[in-house]
Amino acid sequence: MITTLYTICSASQMFRNIAFRAELDRHITPECEDQARILCGEVPAERNNKIEELRKMILERGECNPPRLDDVFLLRFLRARQCIPARAHRLMVRYCTFREQNPHLWRDVYWYGLARLGNVYEGVLYDRPDVGRLIIGRLGLYDPDKFSPDELIRGCLLLLEVGIMQPKLQVLGGTALVDCEGTTLKQMRQLTPSLVTQAMSVMGYAFPLRQIGVHIVNCSGLIEKLFFLFKRLAPADDLWKRVYFHGCDYTSLHR
């Protein structure tokens, strides 16, 4: 079983750990500075000019209304898009549009209430330049009778919104590992096109995160067919190229 690959922790403990690390790790280290140059195309001498160019683009074009315009906030969008202001601006527009279309995912979210997600988000492994931060979810532990699909998305957003405060996560990006072991038809009925579109948006299409890959394991042929159906409906074309189905083949996963 895939459980042997990682440490199990409760959702509430994981949220607390990530929030604590995010509060500590607000400043970029020399090692992270080098990684930002290699992975994100970030040149320290040009950083402020790029931020100002992005801010000016947002204000002049008026295509979005970001919740913030400070340097720290804008920099995470630049790092997610190779420090190219035009690409960061497109990401910002998608991020703001996603927030406007789905205010219920942010509004009145009780952080500790999400602890009842249990081990659906089972753990986080830190942090390699080739993988980034590995976030592990177990779809088979999702209980539709106890919480709604929206709460799954809120939990993922909580992990990312708090974690993305850290320069290290902004620079290294992340990889998602989704374990479908134990998934039932009742759970699969919750996987609507709307939910999958929201999930893909959170995973990188409309969120300032360098998404390295999404690996789906212990999945049946039916799950693969569903995802390929959703692929036609969801907009995240580039992100779909980084979604990998491994079935029960761990050799494929390890490669």
Side-chain angles (χ1 to χ4, degrees):
M1 291 177 61
I2 197 168
T3 310
T4 59
L5 294 177
Y6 42 80
T7 301
I8 298 174
C9 62
S10 69
S12 59
Q13 183 61 45
M14 182 161 55
F15 294 154
R16 284 195 293 269
N17 289 346
I18 290 176
F20 178 69
R21 294 305 312 175
E23 194 63 36
L24 289 181
D25 299 337
R26 294 295 184 90
H27 303 290
I28 194 165
T29 63
E31 178 190 13
C32 195
E33 193 91 67
D34 289 339
Q35 291 168 335
R37 176 178 52 80
I38 296 167
L39 299 174
C40 305
E42 182 176 320
V43 179
E46 298 176 1
R47 185 184 297 140
N48 291 337
N49 290 338
K50 297 283 188 181
I51 292 172
E52 190 54 41
E53 185 178 347
L54 174 58
R55 183 183 291 113
K56 184 178 179 182
M57 202 175 289
I58 292 168
L59 294 173
E60 288 183 349
R61 296 187 181 183
E63 297 177 33
C64 58
N65 185 25
R68 294 163 49 189
L69 281 174
D70 56 275
D71 290 3
V72 170
F73 185 71
L74 297 183
L75 183 57
R76 64 185 65 168
F77 287 85
L78 285 165
R79 285 174 171 160
R81 290 299 181 267
Q82 287 293 304
C83 288
I84 300 172
R87 292 185 62 200
H89 179 260
R90 287 196 296 271
L91 177 60
M92 177 71 80
V93 172
R94 289 199 295 265
Y95 175 79
C96 293
T97 300
F98 182 61
R99 285 179 64 106
E100 290 165 6
Q101 292 175 345
N102 301 277
H104 62 288
L105 297 178
W106 277 270
R107 185 186 300 143
D108 300 327
V109 175
Y110 177 52
W111 285 28
Y112 288 102
L114 290 174
R116 64 200 186 99
L117 291 175
N119 290 327
V120 171
Y121 296 108
E122 186 145 16
V124 177
L125 298 179
Y126 297 83
D127 276 319
R128 288 177 14 185
D130 58 336
V131 175
R133 184 162 302 172
L134 182 64
I135 298 176
I136 302 160
R138 299 191 68 187
L139 194 58
L141 295 181
Y142 162 50
D143 187 345
D145 294 328
K146 291 185 178 179
F147 45 86
S148 70
D150 282 344
E151 288 180 279
L152 286 177
I153 303 297
R154 289 191 188 114
C156 187
L157 270 174
L158 173 59
L159 289 172
L160 295 177
E161 288 280 13
V162 176
I164 205 68
M165 296 175 186
Q166 295 175 273
K168 191 171 187 180
L169 180 56
Q170 295 168 21
V171 169
L172 294 181
T175 296
L177 176 62
V178 182
D179 179 8
C180 296
E181 183 178 10
T183 303
T184 64
L185 285 174
K186 184 176 183 179
Q187 292 163 327
M188 290 171 62
R189 280 198 292 267
Q190 310 300 316
L191 299 178
T192 63
S194 173
L195 181 70
V196 173
T197 300
Q198 288 178 358
M200 297 304 286
S201 295
V202 169
M203 288 181 183
Y205 179 74
F207 193 86
L209 174 69
R210 289 182 58 250
Q211 182 57 259
I212 296 170
V214 179
H215 297 268
I216 301 174
V217 298
N218 293 325
C219 54
S220 65
L222 178 58
I223 292 177
E224 287 195 44
K225 289 177 182 177
L226 271 178
F227 273 90
F228 282 113
L229 173 64
F230 294 148
K231 183 178 179 180
R232 298 177 178 224
L233 304 173
D237 292 336
D238 290 341
L239 185 54
W240 280 114
K241 297 175 184 177
R242 298 190 291 277
V243 177
Y244 306 95
F245 291 90
H246 301 281
C248 298
D249 182 1
Y250 288 100
T251 303
S252 168
L253 174 66
H254 294 161
R255 283 199 303 269

